[in-house]
Amino acid sequence: MDKQKAIQDFKALDEKITHFQSISGLADWDQKVMAPKKGRAQFAKAIGTLRTEAFKISISDEMGRLIEELNSDSVELDEMAAAQVRERKEQYDRFKRIPAEDFKEFAILTAQANDAWEHAREHNDFDHYAPYLEKIVGFRRKFAELYGYEAHPYDAVLSEFEPGLMVAKLDPIFAKLRDTSVTLLERIKKSPNQTPSEIFNQKYPIDKQKEFNRYILPIIGFDMEAGRLDETVHPFAQTITIGDVRLTTRYLEENVRSALFGTIHEAGHGIYEQNIDPKYEGTVLAGGTSFGIHESQSRFLENMVGRSRAFWSYFYPRLVEYFPEQLANIGEEDFYRAVNTVEPSFIRIEADELTYNLHIMVRYEVEKALMAGELEVHELPAVWNRKMEEYLGIIPATDREGVLQDVHWSFGGIGYFPSYSLGNLYAAQILNTLKKEVPGYEAAIAEGNFAPVMGWLKEKIHKYGSLYRPNELIVKVTGEELNADYLAEYLEAKYSEIYKLS
Amino acid sequence: MDKQKAIQDFKALDEKITHFQSISGLADWDQKVMAPKKGRAQFAKAIGTLRTEAFKISISDEMGRLIEELNSDSVELDEMAAAQVRERKEQYDRFKRIPAEDFKEFAILTAQANDAWEHAREHNDFDHYAPYLEKIVGFRRKFAELYGYEAHPYDAVLSEFEPGLMVAKLDPIFAKLRDTSVTLLERIKKSPNQTPSEIFNQKYPIDKQKEFNRYILPIIGFDMEAGRLDETVHPFAQTITIGDVRLTTRYLEENVRSALFGTIHEAGHGIYEQNIDPKYEGTVLAGGTSFGIHESQSRFLENMVGRSRAFWSYFYPRLVEYFPEQLANIGEEDFYRAVNTVEPSFIRIEADELTYNLHIMVRYEVEKALMAGELEVHELPAVWNRKMEEYLGIIPATDREGVLQDVHWSFGGIGYFPSYSLGNLYAAQILNTLKKEVPGYEAAIAEGNFAPVMGWLKEKIHKYGSLYRPNELIVKVTGEELNADYLAEYLEAKYSEIYKLS
């Protein structure tokens, strides 16, 4: 066996798939952000063709043969090559089980489902979206059977987003998170020291919001020469290459927080990708290592940084310059407390740090039931509303504010949502280590210097791309495996102080 | 032989290549219009991979076998299938001669050369661009040898843009066009009845220009739900699908004509593509039939329509509303004469209808010499300037205004420029027929009704896509082969009237 030749051939295949994904990533972004209406249906077919081609290469006989050759005990690979083989092997083993025709049909379906979802959301018309969603659930259930699983069909799709994640592991973690959250929420509701959230009940002109969002991005570490910021119904971050990472946000005149924290959140994803070591460019390693770790970076930037005293110590005086009328007579401390208002609400991406996880519980439970065949798509709106009432005490008046709010299912991402709460758990654990290793980071932020915190994240997490598995990485960074206590402690400490809880 | 199976397989391959080209078209557009700087070099590699893949399919053994099977006398194909086979066969026969490695290298080179050209143009630095251009010329000469040719190496690349076009055919046509243009130009220069072109020596605010450009596009027939208008250094039209055709233009405060006629020109290309019969979507026929015919549509809309009395009879009062200060006290007739000012100038895309063809002569002759190895890239600026003086009587002060002005060479389009003058020739011939068949079209335009003229073009030309060859199409539309007299007659009549020549 010619090992060097095998490595070379493997790397060429890896690069080809990566190139195709880079381009289909751009194509997706374009359809959501730029493309005119009338071309979308036809272009969805073209994207389907490209995805199918990448898919075929990733499960080709050549790929199988090379993985087998390079995965043998007798072959020693450097750390990078070994990680490339590991990632492609996982995909190969998973995708090999899906018939090419199903894959293509699924790719076309999800491209079209995005349009259907946008339409349904705009017109509050769940029935318009339901037939697409039914097909998507059908495919995901079929894929779960094809992937195989030990205990629960949901396990099979969960591990697409977080390798090794299972219902058996999540159920107790999420149950605990739910219980502590509900208890803390009750204490907050009863507190006589409520936050002055009414300062957000004003109009904040959209052009000024845009300017402010563009102003903060480079300061917090997002490189505008290696990315863009655009607008979409549902904010997202899309990597084209390490040097081209695109964010979107959504401006609402009556809700200045929406774009602001949405942008910071997506910037957390984007900075992670921009900071990956360029030596991984064009390989499967040129991306975040899991959805959970990715969300840890976006949620960290949005909440642990973006909703911190230090952050607003620097940015609040600047924000006042953009909105002098709206913020007249409002002090920095009041503003800090207001951005940390805890209040049950309908829209997940605008939820506070505490109730956010309860939104995830709703999704986790309905996805689990959909995958198990215990829930039908047409029952979703009713079940969604019932769970919202149970966990958050509120019922959405419309599906637009309820089951139709999120884009994820339209691209087939059943199994994605748990990553958000996992991201919150990781983020709190990472924060705990950061505080020990970079004690001056908050003082620097208060001076507008994000280099200590972002530099640390880059060195510890970002630059590695997908070199390490999420479970390896969290141990490497924090010295221990996922520990759900940190988030509970963080939330207890933060809100006890803000709401002056006893 | 199973004919149905062969047709089905052929159509699937045709569709796959079309899908890949649709996506690489989007990728090209994005790099020029949207992409941030830092990602471009890496993304150029990804585009190279995609193009190479499409190229490989177009010259695959399977394609060769299917073309051979379907091209046989014993197989009867419907008109559409026969045209698809004809187009793919021509590509197969041409591309089959180019080694895959050359093709990939050329694709990467041209993606990078676009950036180099943009930089060189911006900084008036021909030397920065020269190494890329040398490589591009080297490739084009190599391709000419591989394609083969009878008389002149330029013939081999000319026919990429206009099937069957040759130096032996062009030389006499262009010589005659040059002579009549130079003579007419001399008469115009001596006319005592010059046009009031000084009305353009004013500033026209860019935001108002943008509004006006967006205002006219749908009226002249460009469907904004099936396209976009953006900004680039060099205006172009890019088809993604029939339902997604994107135009770009360039706004100059001190030159209102630049964006205006640039937009109308690109709209001519765009409307052609938007009007193609949807049944050709996803096939090789879903595009204009040649560059010459394409330019006939853009030049027709820009000049025969956009610089006509009827056009400004409708739009001039509207233009005055956008620019009341600039156009105060200027009458419609003066404005009409001013937009038809003949004056030697440096920039081709801003040239008047008459001198335009002389710009093409400069390019035609240097390209011919480059392809014959009679001219080196480093000699280009000097030769360019000498020819400009010879034909137009003016010398560019900088390469930015001279040899660096056009994008075409950076994408490898040596052989493209003659299509522009060919387009002018076709356009005048088409106009002659239109006048006979739709006598009321000008009266309709004067009322803002473009349906008669655009509907006729759609029915006679646009809807067919590439079903007919350019030489077949021109006969089908006008009843005769390319006849260079119509353009000479058109120019003579138009300018005799405007300049009151004797």
Side-chain angles (χ1 to χ4, degrees), chain A residues 272-435:
Chain A
Y272 184 3
E273 301 266 316
Q274 287 183 334
N275 278 344
I276 290 171
D277 193 324
K279 76 181 173 195
Y280 300 133
E281 188 74 279
T283 77
V284 68
L285 305 180
T289 190
S290 75
F291 286 79
I293 296 292
H294 237 302
E295 288 302 329
S296 82
Q297 295 310 291
S298 54
R299 302 287 298 165
F300 183 90
L301 200 63
E302 178 189 352
N303 294 321
M304 278 75 172
V305 172
R307 284 189 165 91
S308 72
R309 273 212 171 75
F311 187 91
W312 289 109
S313 168
Y314 181 73
F315 279 118
Y316 187 66
R318 274 91 186 162
L319 188 70
V320 173
E321 289 172 21
Y322 285 80
F323 302 104
E325 285 175 36
Q326 288 80 356
L327 300 174
N329 309 318
I330 295 165
E332 189 183 307
E333 176 65 14
D334 275 347
F335 186 82
Y336 165 72
R337 294 184 69 230
V339 298
N340 283 295
T341 300
V342 171
E343 191 175 25
S345 62
F346 299 117
I347 305 297
R348 174 185 60 82
I349 59 170
E350 284 156 18
D352 58 80
E353 282 179 89
L354 180 62
T355 60
Y356 188 95
N357 294 308
L358 298 172
H359 287 267
I360 299 305
M361 299 308 133
V362 172
R363 288 156 180 77
Y364 174 66
E365 290 167 21
V366 299
E367 285 191 346
K368 206 166 65 171
L370 282 171
M371 288 301 293
E374 297 160 5
L375 178 66
E376 298 289 326
V377 165
H378 69 86
E379 300 170 302
L380 263 178
V383 173
W384 180 283
N385 292 353
R386 200 183 320 130
K387 286 188 185 286
M388 282 297 290
E389 186 176 20
E390 193 179 337
Y391 303 151
L392 286 146
I394 54 175
I395 304 171
T398 65
D399 290 336
R400 193 185 151 92
E401 286 185 311
V403 70
L404 283 174
Q405 70 184 268
D406 280 315
V407 71
H408 305 61
W409 294 336
S410 81
F411 63 73
I414 297 170
Y416 187 133
F417 284 117
S419 312
Y420 289 110
S421 283
L422 206 61
N424 289 334
L425 294 162
Y426 282 139
Q429 185 168 337
I430 290 165
L431 177 68
N432 181 64
T433 305
L434 170 71
K435 285 189 169 176

Side-chain angles (χ1 to χ4, degrees), chain B residues 3-14 66 70:
Chain B
K3 183 193 147 194
Q4 285 315 315
K5 176 76 168 60
I7 292 175
Q8 197 184 317
D9 289 351
F10 168 79
K11 291 200 170 182
L13 274 196
D14 181 35
L66 291 167
L70 296 175

Side-chain angles (χ1 to χ4, degrees), chain B residues 258-361:
Chain B
S258 180
L260 186 54
F261 291 102
T263 301
I264 298 173
H265 177 94
E266 300 308 335
H269 287 299
I271 292 167
Y272 185 1
E273 302 265 316
Q274 286 183 337
N275 278 344
I276 292 172
D277 193 323
K279 75 181 172 195
Y280 301 134
E281 188 74 280
T283 78
V284 68
L285 305 180
T289 189
S290 76
F291 286 78
I293 296 292
H294 236 301
E295 287 303 328
S296 81
Q297 295 310 291
S298 54
R299 302 286 298 165
F300 183 90
L301 200 62
E302 178 189 352
N303 295 320
M304 277 78 171
V305 172
R307 284 188 166 91
S308 71
R309 271 211 174 77
F311 187 90
W312 289 110
S313 167
Y314 182 73
F315 280 119
Y316 187 65
R318 273 92 187 159
L319 188 69
V320 174
E321 288 171 21
Y322 285 80
F323 303 105
E325 288 175 34
Q326 288 80 356
L327 300 174
N329 309 318
I330 295 165
E332 190 184 307
E333 176 66 14
D334 276 348
F335 186 82
Y336 165 71
R337 296 183 69 232
V339 298
N340 283 295
T341 299
V342 170
E343 190 174 26
S345 62
F346 299 118
I347 304 297
R348 175 184 60 83
I349 59 168
E350 284 157 18
D352 57 79
E353 280 180 89
L354 180 62
T355 61
Y356 187 93
N357 294 308
L358 298 171
H359 286 268
I360 299 304
M361 299 307 132

